[in-house]
Amino acid sequence: MKKTFALFTLCLVLILGIVAVAAFTLHHDRDQVSVTAETLEGDPAAAKGQVATQSAHYGGRLLWDLTIPLDRPEKAATAFSTVSALPQPEPILDINFFSIPGGTVPYFSEREDVLANLSPTFEPLRPIFADVIRRAPAGEEYTETLCLSDYLDTFPLCLEFWTVQDPAPYTVSGSIIETFQNYFTFPVPSGAQWTFTVVKSSSGSVEELRFDPGNYRSLGFLSACGADAVYFAFDPGIHPPLSFAQVPGGYGIYRMALSQEDTKEETIFHLDDDSLETVFSLPEEAAVLDLNLSPDGSSLLVTCGQGEDYTLLVLDTGTMEVKQTLSVPAVPPASGNAYAREKDGTYTPYPVYDWDIDASFFGHASLVTENCLLLQGRDNLYLYTLEETGYVYRFTAFHDDALFEINNPAAIAWNGEKLAVATASHYSYTEDVTGLNLWIYDETGQRIYQADYETSLNDIASEDAEYEAWKAVGSVQDYTTSSPYIQLVPGRVLALAWT
C-alpha cells in the first residue's frame, strides 16, 4: 500500500512539474509568435509590400492578431490579448443546399405514429409512406421501388440555410419551404423511380423509415447574399435535368428580399415570402456556374456555360440589366451522355458536362475585391480587373493546386502589377493550422513566387498537460472548458493587402 501511494505521489509530482514548465513557457512566449516561410518557387522579394493578417484563438479566451510582411516573415508582429468573448463577425446568410429530400425520415421513438407531425419537407410524401408502411410485414425490413409519378405531379423540395460567419447564432424567419415549393414546381418525369424502406418491430410498430431518390437526389444550388436581398440559381448538377417550364420566368436568376434583426441572443434573418421572383431569365442550356456580388453590392457577377463557351455577365442589381458581357477563355467542358430510366423500362440519354468552372469555394468559383475578380478553373485562374469602363480581362494563369477548397478560405490582392493569392493552411470546425499558402503572379500571369508560411502557434498541441498549463497561465477568464485547440477566428481567418 505504501509503495502504491509513493508511486502515485511520484507520478503526481512529475505531472505537476510538466504543467508548471509548460505554463511558464507558454506564459512567457504567448505574445512572441514567430513565422517561418518555405520558399517553393521564385524570390521572396516578389512579395515585397504584401502583408497578410490572421487572427487565432485558444478556447475563445486567448487571442492573437498576426500581421505578417510576406517578404520578411521573421518581422511578423503579434498583438496578444485575453478576452471574455471572441469578436463576432457580421453574419452573412447563405443558402447552402437545395435538394430533393432523401435519407431517413426523423421521428421520436416514443411516437406511435411515424406519420404524425411530418415536417413540411416530407409532408408531400405522406401518401407514399402510408402505402409502404401498410404493405410492410411485422418483424422485417421491407423495401419497395415505386414510380413517383403515380403519387406526385411535382417534386418535393428541401431547403437549408447556414451563415458564412459561423458560429454566430441565427434563425431564418418565414414560410420559406412552402414558398419555394409553390414557386419551383418541377414536374415528375414518368420514369422517375424512388426506393422506400420500412423497418418494423415484431409488434408491427415502425422503427425506421427511409427512402432513396436515386438520380434525383440533388438539384445543385448557388447563392449570393447582399445587404437587402439574396440571389440564387440552380447549377448544372441536375441529373437528369428538370423542366423549368412551370417556374415563373423559367430558368435564370431568382431573388428574395432580405432584412436583418440583431438581438442579444442571435441574428434573425427575415426573408420576405412574397418577394420571391425571377429577375433574369436564361435559356436552360446556359448553365449558371457561379454567382457572386461585388463588394458594394451594385453588381451581380454571373458566370455561365453554354455548349463549349463560357460567359461572364455583369448585372446591375438595381435594374437587373446587363452592364457587361465578357468572354471567359476557360477550357471547353468534357461532355458525354447519361441515361434516365423511363416508366416503360426504356432509357433516354441526356447530356452531362464536366465544366471547367466549378463553384467550390464556399459556394463560389470566384473571389471578388474592390478592384478585381478572380475565377477558378481546374488548372487555370482567370483574372479580370475593374477599370473606369468596367471589368477588363487581364490574363489566364496556370496553377496546379486546388486553391479555393471549401475548408481553406482564400484571399486575393491586386496592385496593378502583381496578383497575390493565398489560402489559409487548414480550416475546420475542430482544429486549425495557422499560417498560409501564397502564390504571386506578375501582370502577364506568370507565377513568380510561391511559399508556405507557418507560425509557432502550431506547436501548441491538445495534450492534457498543455491544456492544464494554459489554465495555469492566469485567472479563470484566460481559458475555457471548450475544445483545447488553436482555432482561427471566424471573419478574420485571412486577409491580404499591398502596402
Side-chain angles (χ1 to χ4, degrees), residues 206-221:
V206 176
E207 294 183 338
E208 186 177 355
L209 174 61
R210 63 181 186 271
F211 64 100
D212 182 1
N215 289 334
Y216 296 92
R217 180 178 301 278
S218 176
L219 298 182
F221 202 72

Side-chain angles (χ1 to χ4, degrees), residues 246-295:
Q246 296 183 19
V247 177
Y251 181 73
I253 311 298
Y254 312 97
R255 179 173 63 190
M256 207 171 192
L258 172 71
S259 60
Q260 181 176 319
E261 175 187 355
D262 294 316
T263 69
K264 291 183 179 180
E265 293 78 22
E266 63 180 355
T267 296
I268 302 174
F269 293 100
H270 299 284
L271 285 167
D272 183 357
D273 296 346
D274 297 328
S275 67
L276 178 58
E277 60 179 335
T278 304
V279 292
F280 191 81
S281 296
L282 290 163
E284 290 191 28
E285 60 270 19
V288 176
L289 305 175
D290 186 60
L291 279 182
N292 218 332
L293 282 164
S294 60

Side-chain angles (χ1 to χ4, degrees), residues 101-149:
T104 301
V105 179
Y107 68 97
F108 298 107
S109 58
E110 66 269 16
R111 183 187 300 157
E112 294 183 1
D113 182 9
V114 67
L115 299 181
N117 301 317
L118 282 175
S119 70
T121 296
F122 297 104
E123 183 61 38
L125 300 174
R126 178 184 292 275
I128 308 178
F129 292 157
D131 277 1
V132 177
I133 290 172
R134 177 174 49 82
R135 290 191 285 266
E140 295 183 16
E141 178 174 311
Y142 174 78
T143 298
E144 187 174 353
T145 299
L146 298 174
C147 186
L148 195 64
S149 60

Side-chain angles (χ1 to χ4, degrees), residues 19-346:
V19 169
V21 171
F24 174 80
T25 301
L26 295 174
H27 179 72
H28 179 71
D29 295 337
R30 62 184 182 177
D31 58 349
Q32 299 176 12
V33 177
S34 61
V35 181
T36 58
E38 178 185 2
T39 298
L40 304 177
E41 179 182 353
D43 186 342
K48 184 177 181 180
Q50 177 59 219
V51 175
T53 55
Q54 186 173 70
S55 296
H57 71 94
Y58 185 91
R61 293 295 181 264
L62 307 179
L63 178 65
W64 294 266
D65 293 314
L66 307 178
T67 302
I68 308 168
L70 295 177
D71 62 326
R72 296 170 296 130
E74 69 279 1
K75 300 293 185 180
T78 305
F80 172 80
S81 60
T82 58
V83 295
S84 58
L86 290 177
Q88 287 296 321
E90 182 72 19
I92 303 172
L93 183 69
D94 211 347
I95 301 178
N96 184 33
F97 191 62
F98 190 104
S99 71
I100 293 167
T104 301
V105 179
Y107 68 97
F108 298 107
S109 58
E110 66 269 16
R111 183 187 300 157
E112 294 183 1
D113 182 9
V114 67
L115 299 181
N117 301 317
L118 282 175
S119 70
T121 296
F122 297 104
E123 183 61 38
L125 300 174
R126 178 184 292 275
I128 308 178
F129 292 157
D131 277 1
V132 177
I133 290 172
R134 177 174 49 82
R135 290 191 285 266
E140 295 183 16
E141 178 174 311
Y142 174 78
T143 298
E144 187 174 353
T145 299
L146 298 174
C147 186
L148 195 64
S149 60
D150 291 342
Y151 292 86
L152 299 175
D153 295 324
T154 60
F155 281 109
L157 302 176
C158 175
L159 185 66
E160 295 181 3
F161 300 92
W162 69 321
T163 60
V164 174
Q165 307 292 16
D166 282 332
Y170 72 98
T171 59
V172 179
S173 68
S175 306
I176 309 304
I177 293 180
E178 182 179 354
T179 299
F180 274 66
Q181 288 274 17
N182 293 334
Y183 196 88
F184 296 106
T185 53
F186 299 115
V188 175
S190 60
Q193 293 186 324
W194 286 14
T195 300
F196 296 81
T197 299
V198 176
V199 179
K200 282 187 177 181
S201 66
S202 57
S203 64
S205 62
V206 176
E207 294 183 338
E208 186 177 355
L209 174 61
R210 63 181 186 271
F211 64 100
D212 182 1
N215 289 334
Y216 296 92
R217 180 178 301 278
S218 176
L219 298 182
F221 202 72
L222 300 167
S223 66
C225 185
D228 57 3
V230 58
Y231 301 84
F232 49 91
F234 295 90
D235 74 12
I238 308 172
H239 305 312
L242 301 178
S243 171
F244 284 77
Q246 296 183 19
V247 177
Y251 181 73
I253 311 298
Y254 312 97
R255 179 173 63 190
M256 207 171 192
L258 172 71
S259 60
Q260 181 176 319
E261 175 187 355
D262 294 316
T263 69
K264 291 183 179 180
E265 293 78 22
E266 63 180 355
T267 296
I268 302 174
F269 293 100
H270 299 284
L271 285 167
D272 183 357
D273 296 346
D274 297 328
S275 67
L276 178 58
E277 60 179 335
T278 304
V279 292
F280 191 81
S281 296
L282 290 163
E284 290 191 28
E285 60 270 19
V288 176
L289 305 175
D290 186 60
L291 279 182
N292 218 332
L293 282 164
S294 60
D296 63 2
S298 65
S299 297
L300 181 67
L301 309 169
V302 184
T303 307
C304 298
Q306 186 169 352
E308 294 189 351
D309 298 323
Y310 297 83
T311 302
L312 173 62
L313 300 175
V314 182
L315 305 180
D316 187 320
T317 55
T319 64
M320 291 310 297
E321 294 181 353
V322 178
K323 296 196 293 187
Q324 280 186 277
T325 301
L326 299 168
S327 176
V328 180
V331 178
S335 62
N337 284 330
Y339 296 86
R341 188 179 188 278
E342 302 297 344
K343 190 174 182 179
D344 60 4
T346 62

Side-chain angles (χ1 to χ4, degrees), residues 347-425:
Y347 290 84
T348 301
Y350 59 90
V352 176
Y353 294 97
D354 182 13
W355 298 99
D356 183 38
I357 304 297
D358 180 30
S360 58
F361 173 68
F362 280 99
H364 301 293
S366 62
L367 287 174
V368 186
T369 70
E370 288 79 4
N371 66 351
C372 71
L373 161 72
L374 188 67
L375 274 175
Q376 178 190 224
R378 282 189 299 272
D379 298 309
N380 293 300
L381 301 175
Y382 308 99
L383 177 67
Y384 295 79
T385 60
L386 184 58
E387 312 295 341
E388 292 184 1
T389 57
Y391 283 95
V392 175
Y393 168 73
R394 280 283 185 159
F395 61 68
T396 296
F398 173 78
H399 76 85
D400 52 5
D401 300 274
L403 298 184
F404 309 152
E405 296 179 359
I406 289 179
N407 288 335
N408 286 27
I412 60 174
W414 167 254
N415 68 355
E417 296 179 353
K418 290 185 285 189
L419 172 71
V421 181
T423 62
S425 296

